[in-house]
């Protein structure tokens, strides 16, 4: 009886491992879980230049704070010019890696890698590859000027942010 139970448990665990979800652990921090203070501390301990971001090019509602990793960051086999981090209610909500001067070859290689890894989670989002698994979402973007970005976000925290807006805001 114990053997049968062990076999069933091993089959179940193997099946779970085969259904990989979208990665939500980025640079040692977990989207939707790691606090703002811990995220900043972890990133700085990795030698990254993390500063509060005061730019006006990012949308926010409610209790939202932005930070930026300046002077470059390596992630996923690419060297990104910088990254912008969003925190909602004190939790790590999203990260946007971006670079300038990327070739079409680089973009297409990244696009191919992401699509092959997360094809089952791909959703329709115009010309940009977009994926969501019910917990984490990814969007990959580029333009003809060599700008390329990939963004990872926690869907549950985005719900909190969008629910903080009221219809009277329109």
């Amino acid at each position: 009886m114990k053997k049968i139970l062990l076999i069933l448990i091993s089959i179940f665990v193997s099946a779970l491992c085969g259904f990989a979800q979208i990665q939500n652990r980025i640079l040692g921090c977990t989207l939707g879980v790691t606090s703002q203070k811990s995220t900043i501390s972890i990133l700085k301990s990795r030698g990254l230049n993390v500063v509060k971001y005061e730019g006006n090019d990012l949308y926010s509602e409610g209790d939202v704070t932005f930070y930026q990793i300046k002077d470059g960051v390596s992630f996923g086999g690419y060297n990104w010019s910088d990254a912008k981090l969003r925190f909602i209610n004190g939790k790590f909500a999203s990260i946007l890696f971006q670079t300038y001067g990327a070739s079409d070859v680089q973009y297409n290689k990244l696009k191919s890698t992401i699509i092959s890894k997360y094809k089952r989670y791909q959703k329709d989002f115009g010309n940009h590859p977009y994926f969501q698994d019910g917990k984490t979402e990814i969007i990959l973007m580029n333009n003809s000027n060599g700008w390329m970005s990939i963004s990872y976000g926690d869907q549950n925290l985005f719900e909190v942010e969008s629910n903080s807006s009221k219809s009277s805001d329109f």
Side-chain angles (χ1 to χ4, degrees):
M1 182 67 180
K2 284 184 183 180
K3 263 187 173 178
I4 293 172
L5 186 58
L6 285 174
I7 290 170
L8 289 175
I9 289 173
S10 119
I11 290 170
F12 179 72
V13 169
S14 296
L16 284 178
C17 292
F19 296 106
Q21 292 183 310
I22 296 174
Q23 173 177 317
N24 69 343
R25 189 160 175 82
I26 312 291
L27 300 174
C29 305
T30 304
L31 292 166
V33 175
T34 308
S35 71
Q36 177 177 318
K37 184 177 179 180
S38 293
T39 300
I40 301 307
S41 175
I42 290 166
L43 296 176
K44 285 184 175 183
S45 74
R46 291 174 167 240
L48 296 171
N49 183 10
V50 183
V51 297
K52 189 155 184 171
Y53 184 74
E54 302 292 345
N56 61 2
D57 60 332
L58 299 174
Y59 170 80
S60 67
E61 285 282 339
D63 182 16
V64 179
T65 308
F66 294 97
Y67 278 80
Q68 180 176 16
I69 300 173
K70 297 179 83 174
D71 306 326
V73 59
S74 179
F75 175 75
Y78 289 83
N79 292 316
W80 302 91
S81 302
D82 66 34
K84 291 185 175 73
L85 297 91
R86 178 171 25 179
F87 298 91
I88 300 174
N89 297 330
K91 298 287 184 191
F92 181 33
S94 67
I95 187 163
L96 169 75
F97 294 96
Q98 55 189 356
T99 196
Y100 308 92
S103 69
D104 287 341
V105 171
Q106 289 172 307
Y107 174 77
N108 288 329
K109 180 180 177 192
L110 178 59
K111 180 179 173 182
S112 174
T113 300
I114 295 294
I115 288 173
S116 69
K117 186 170 184 178
Y118 299 123
K119 185 171 186 61
R120 63 190 282 171
Y121 301 112
Q122 191 165 6
K123 308 291 182 195
D124 184 32
F125 194 74
N127 295 329
H128 305 289
Y130 176 72
F131 309 85
Q132 59 177 213
D133 65 3
K135 182 175 173 73
T136 306
E137 64 183 29
I138 301 174
I139 185 166
L140 179 62
M141 301 180 85
N142 77 328
N143 69 22
S144 60
N145 297 326
W147 173 79
M148 177 173 80
S149 73
I150 188 167
S151 175
Y152 287 77
D154 181 88
Q155 290 179 261
N156 294 328
L157 285 176
F158 291 156
E159 290 284 323
V160 168
E161 182 183 31
S162 66
N163 289 338
S164 70
S165 178
K166 299 180 181 140
S167 60
S168 61
D169 291 343
F170 295 114

